[in-house]
Amino acid sequence: MTISVSNLFVERSGKTVLRDVSFHIDKGEVYALLGGNGAGKSTTLLSLLGFIKPGKGQMHVLGENPETHPAKVRASVAYLPEAATLYPHLDAYENLEYFLGLAGFKVGQARLDEALDTVDLQQPARADRMESYSKGMRQKVAIALAVLRDAPVLLLDEPTSGLDPVAIDDFNRLVRSLAGDGRTILMVTHDVYGACQVANRIGLLRRGDMVGFFEAKAGQRIHTEHVHRAFAERAAV
Amino acid sequence: MNSMWLIAREEWRYWVRSRLARVSVLIFVGLIIASSLFSTLQTLDARHQRLHQQEVAEQTFLSQPARHPHRMVHYGHYAFRPPPPLAVFDPGIDVVTGQSIFLEGHRQNTAMFADARAQAKAGGFGILTPAMVYQILFPLLLIIIGHDIVAREREARTLAPLMGQGVTGITLYCGKALALLGLVGVLALPVLLVSVMSVLLGESIPAGLFLTLTYALFLTCWSALLLLVSFAFKTRGIILAVLMLFWLFGTLIIPRIAVATGDASFPTEGKILTDLRMKDDLREIGDGHNDADPTFSKLKAELLAQYNVGNVEDLPMNFRGVVASTAEARLTKTLNDYAEKRMERESRQSRIIRDFGALSPFLAVGHASKSIAGTDLKSHHRFLREAEVLRFGYVQALNEVHAGQIAYSDDINRSSDQGAEKRTRVDPENWRVLKQFRFETSGTNARLARAAPSLSFLTIWTLGLLGVGVLLARGASP
């Protein structure tokens, strides 16, 4: 089990934002946490990174407790925040070099290009400052960072929010490909269609409570219509 | 390269690429260059002029023809205070206190020709000294460039991926602090250059070095405040508001409260009232020009008894010269008492303002800067005292000539008897009693000792802000 969350309770500013949340993710799986605004999706990710201390419950990422060993957890996790902008005054190479340097990695130009090829970022754009990038291009660079770090775990916060349909398809393909390489991916989203396209399992969150769960049958995808109905009935705020 | 250096380097790359940072630095560097050039030219010219005028005044005095020594007492002399080399950077209170004094018998004149009274000719620009640019404007530059040093990361959502790479709050703090320290290093270059120039003009190396370090410490203090506020608050607007409030209080409000407190604690008597009271006291001393003044009858009796003669004409010295000398000594004692009381009051007021440096780094750096530059109140008081010693010295020496070289009978008849008048004219060689006067800045150790309390305040401020900043950074999260 790569990620396990058991009976998690989190309070922020005196308000309970996660209540008795439990799920687990195995290696090579894509797990989607679906929920509306204020459901507690991003709080779950920040808790797994050790940025938020839970009131009760247990969490483990690759066997490490993020509450007690946040540095170890962060070293093995690539985190893409919502609307990952990285640094607008840097180009793709500079951004990657900087973040990799902070994580203690040093890679050459060829390896950078290889990772950017993997995420299909066009060659001419790579030396442009990211202030000129579309959101989809920025997401690609952020994914390339995860690829370069060779992080076994990816935490993605609303990764397809604001992307055009073509970019979403590209992104979903990339996520499936990364999972196929053995990476464990937890993505939080309110995009039902996208979640069903890539996730092996889906959890529904509503105002801090886990209100539904779906699992894909072997070799199949989760049925969008079922999830959509459940989301509309139980999770949407 | 570890994360701290990477973060610092990245911050620098951001500043280099940021138009706001580039334009701000250009404007402020332009200001410091302009003010330094203006101040350097003005100070060097003033220094040259005053040293020259001091020589001219001495030559003029010495070249006076034979005449009655008391006429030379009234002819007078000038004492000039040339600005010390570091006045190029911080003219301090020199611009308001005046730099030359007309020295004459029976009077203690105030210093004249303060630049602040002649601002019109400089179009008001004369007040923008390099020290003022550093003390008032450079904190603003740091605020403009650095207020978003952490908030920018939050707003651009780069803080989460940054910390997601394993960067801790402390590392982030140290990296940003290192970037700001680099900026402080660059901003300290102009004061370093001016200090080097001052050393070439005769200033001591430790004084120049300490002035540079003082301003580097001041800017570091502001950088520590920037970091603390950046880690304490999340939004750019609030951070900017807090920093501007601090600047406003530290630079404008607390100094005014300090001055008001100093005035209220040790009120200064009005000049008219002081002059009237002094005149009353001086009246009791008697008129030194009139040997028949009853005030001197005791002196007369004592001298007659001492030399066992019946009248002043038989004394071995000119009684009028003795009276002039005695009156001058008494008058000077009274004037000095008033002057010392006034200077003591000013010093106490100044100490209160200095102690307000515990609340305002602006006041602390201002006091330390003036002390190190030798342009503080203490230096001005020393100038006044040394000028008074010069005045009293030559006046009394001339009174001795009066008493020793002129016959009493000639002295009392010189208005009616041309021959007597001629005989009361003494040889111009006697004018050499005037001592050469070259006002020098206090020694480096004395100046540094005066700056020590304010430097302590600045150090405590900086360490305190850094300490609290580190505590806040430990709990930093995206």
Side-chain angles (χ1 to χ4, degrees):
Chain A
M1 204 182 301
T2 305
I3 298 176
S4 71
V5 174
S6 312
N7 310 110
L8 192 67
F9 280 80
V10 173
E11 277 195 4
R12 293 184 86 174
S13 312
K15 204 174 146 191
T16 304
V17 286
L18 286 179
R19 198 177 295 105
D20 201 21
V21 170
S22 300
F23 62 90
H24 72 271
I25 315 172
D26 292 323
K27 188 182 178 198
E29 268 194 339
V30 179
Y31 189 103
L33 263 183
L34 267 177
N37 293 335
K41 306 186 299 289
S42 298
T43 301
T44 307
L45 295 188
L46 293 176
S47 301
L48 283 168
L49 285 163
F51 290 132
I52 295 175
K53 307 268 181 231
K56 274 198 280 183
Q58 292 287 315
M59 295 178 294
H60 286 95
V61 178
L62 294 166
E64 296 289 352
N65 184 344
E67 195 183 349
T68 53
H69 298 97
K72 278 189 177 172
V73 170
R74 287 172 206 166
S76 57
V77 169
Y79 167 59
L80 265 75
E82 184 184 359
T85 52
L86 302 182
Y87 288 98
H89 64 284
L90 304 181
D91 63 31
Y93 295 123
E94 289 168 339
N95 262 300
L96 291 174
E97 278 170 346
Y98 177 51
F99 281 104
L100 287 169
L102 291 177
F105 292 86
K106 189 166 174 61
V107 295
Q109 179 78 19
R111 183 80 185 92
L112 293 177
D113 275 320
E114 195 182 313
L116 291 170
D117 287 342
T118 305
V119 297
D120 198 24
L121 184 75
Q122 293 163 341
Q123 183 74 39
R126 294 176 189 178
D128 292 342
R129 289 192 193 173
M130 285 188 69
E131 59 201 3
S132 64
Y133 280 26
S134 68
K135 191 183 171 199
M137 290 162 79
R138 291 199 296 268
Q139 292 287 59
K140 285 178 178 176
V141 178
I143 294 280
L145 176 60
V147 171
L148 282 162
R149 274 192 56 188
D150 203 19
V153 177
L154 270 70
L155 303 182
L156 314 178
D157 192 351
E158 303 281 6
T160 55
S161 159
L163 295 188
D164 62 56
V166 176
I168 289 175
D169 278 347
D170 285 349
F171 181 80
N172 289 342
R173 245 193 319 275
L174 185 60
V175 168
R176 279 200 299 272
S177 152
L178 292 169
D181 292 343
R183 289 184 174 86
T184 305
I185 299 170
L186 169 60
M187 60 186 279
V188 302
T189 180
H190 55 252
D191 174 17
V192 177
Y193 177 79
C196 294
Q197 289 287 303
V198 295
N200 304 94
R201 286 186 286 153
I202 293 175
L204 283 187
L205 264 181
R206 185 180 187 276
R207 289 183 182 165
D209 293 309
M210 194 70 104
V211 293
F213 176 73
F214 300 89
E215 186 164 13
K217 288 176 185 161
Q220 293 183 18
R221 288 181 190 163
I222 297 169
H223 206 288
T224 310
E225 205 173 302
H226 293 167
V227 181
H228 198 276
R229 194 180 307 125
F231 184 76
E233 287 171 0
R234 291 179 256 166
V237 178
Chain B
M1 205 189 303
N2 71 30
S3 303
M4 196 173 77
W5 287 101
L6 273 175
I7 292 168
R9 193 193 68 176
E10 193 43 54
E11 196 62 36
W12 266 84
R13 183 151 59 178
Y14 171 76
W15 287 332
V16 168
R17 292 183 182 181
S18 156
R19 192 175 299 165
L20 175 68
R22 286 200 312 265
V23 171
S24 306
V25 168
L26 271 179
I27 290 172
F28 283 84
V29 166
L31 271 176
I32 192 72
I33 290 173
S35 62
S36 296
L37 277 177
F38 186 84
S39 181
T40 301
L41 293 174
Q42 199 180 38
T43 307
L44 290 182
D45 181 56
R47 189 175 166 79
H48 173 77
Q49 286 289 337
R50 286 176 213 161
L51 285 170
H52 175 68
Q53 288 304 325
Q54 189 69 65
E55 282 175 18
V56 169
E58 282 164 5
Q59 281 165 12
T60 308
F61 189 93
L62 296 176
S63 62
Q64 290 306 302
R67 53 173 60 159
H68 192 286
H70 202 73
R71 282 192 64 195
M72 287 305 285
V73 165
H74 284 285
Y75 179 78
H77 179 50
Y78 282 94
F80 289 90
R81 178 176 50 154
L86 279 175
V88 164
F89 186 82
D90 190 351
I93 64 164
D94 288 13
V95 291
V96 289
T97 52
Q99 302 95 5
S100 59
I101 303 181
F102 178 59
L103 309 172
E104 57 181 324
H106 331 319
R107 292 174 70 95
Q108 275 182 2
N109 293 310
T110 49
M112 303 178 289
F113 306 124
D115 285 349
R117 294 173 206 155
Q119 284 296 311
K121 76 179 169 90
F125 189 62
I127 205 160
L128 191 71
T129 64
M132 295 292 263
V133 173
Y134 266 89
Q135 292 166 18
I136 297 176
L137 300 181
F138 271 23
L140 284 178
L141 174 65
L142 282 173
I143 291 173
I144 291 169
I145 294 180
H147 74 279
D148 62 348
I149 197 161
V150 179
R152 190 181 69 245
E153 305 266 10
R154 284 186 205 281
E155 288 173 5
R157 295 170 187 267
T158 47
L159 199 53
L162 190 86
M163 299 188 82
Q165 309 306 314
V167 172
T168 63
I170 295 287
T171 309
L172 181 67
Y173 181 91
C174 292
K176 299 288 185 184
L178 202 61
L180 284 169
L181 273 181
L183 183 61
V184 166
V186 171
L187 295 181
L189 281 177
V191 60
L192 179 67
L193 285 176
V194 175
S195 296
V196 168
M197 194 177 69
S198 302
V199 168
L200 296 176
L201 289 171
E203 184 54 89
S204 75
I205 292 174
L209 192 65
F210 263 88
L211 189 78
T212 305
L213 289 176
T214 298
Y215 279 95
L217 181 63
F218 174 65
L219 296 177
T220 304
C221 179
W222 267 97
S223 302
L225 178 73
L226 267 177
L227 282 170
L228 186 153
V229 176
S230 294
F231 276 91
F233 301 99
K234 297 200 167 171
T235 56
R236 195 188 290 242
I238 291 176
I239 291 168
L240 197 56
V242 170
L243 290 170
M244 287 309 296
L245 269 178
F246 195 92
W247 180 86
L248 195 68
F249 269 87
T251 309
L252 299 175
I253 296 174
I254 293 177
R256 269 141 192 82
I257 294 173
V259 171
T261 307
D263 284 346
S265 305
F266 301 103
T268 311
E269 205 172 48
K271 184 169 171 13
I272 296 173
L273 191 61
T274 309
D275 286 352
L276 286 173
R277 287 204 309 131
M278 199 158 63
K279 279 217 164 81
D280 277 349
D281 289 349
L282 292 178
R283 209 167 287 136
E284 289 172 17
I285 289 168
D287 180 5
H289 298 100
N290 179 12
D291 62 313
D293 191 312
T295 323
F296 303 109
S297 49
K298 192 180 168 205
L299 171 73
K300 183 176 169 183
E302 282 170 0
L303 278 173
L304 293 176
Q306 185 185 344
Y307 289 98
N308 199 23
V309 291
N311 52 57
V312 290
E313 284 88 345
D314 297 329
L315 284 170
M317 77 284 282
N318 181 348
F319 182 61
R320 295 189 81 178
V322 175
V323 165
S325 177
T326 306
E328 191 67 36
R330 289 177 186 172
L331 171 139
T332 300
K333 185 182 177 306
T334 303
L335 293 178
N336 280 348
D337 285 346
Y338 274 92
E340 285 300 330
K341 276 181 194 158
R342 178 179 47 77
M343 287 192 274
E344 178 57 25
R345 201 164 43 237
E346 287 170 355
S347 294
R348 287 182 175 186
Q349 289 175 343
S350 172
R351 276 199 292 276
I352 283 186
I353 295 168
R354 179 201 69 189
D355 291 345
F356 263 82
L359 300 177
S360 162
F362 168 79
L363 282 176
V365 75
H367 180 267
S369 173
K370 285 193 278 281
S371 300
I372 296 171
T375 54
D376 56 347
L377 188 65
K378 285 268 183 199
S379 298
H380 176 62
H381 284 168
R382 197 166 62 80
F383 169 67
L384 295 180
R385 288 190 181 103
E386 288 185 13
E388 173 53 23
V389 168
L390 174 71
R391 184 198 74 83
F392 185 66
Y394 91 80
V395 168
Q396 288 301 67
L398 289 171
N399 283 334
E400 271 181 39
V401 172
H402 185 176
Q405 296 185 27
I406 297 174
Y408 180 78
S409 54
D410 287 338
D411 208 13
I412 56 172
N413 293 318
R414 65 190 159 104
S415 306
S416 53
D417 179 352
Q418 261 193 344
E421 196 276 331
K422 269 193 174 170
R423 285 191 295 278
T424 58
R425 295 182 190 182
V426 298
D427 191 293
E429 273 301 304
N430 285 297
W431 310 155
R432 297 204 172 276
V433 295
L434 181 73
K435 290 206 169 79
Q436 200 182 53
F437 182 78
R438 296 289 180 274
F439 182 73
E440 297 286 345
T441 322
S442 327
T444 306
N445 288 345
R447 284 183 278 154
L448 292 181
R450 292 206 296 269
S454 298
L455 288 175
S456 305
F457 290 144
L458 270 182
T459 307
I460 291 168
W461 263 102
T462 308
L463 292 178
L465 291 168
L466 285 172
V468 178
V470 166
L471 283 179
L472 288 173
R474 280 174 66 183
S477 64

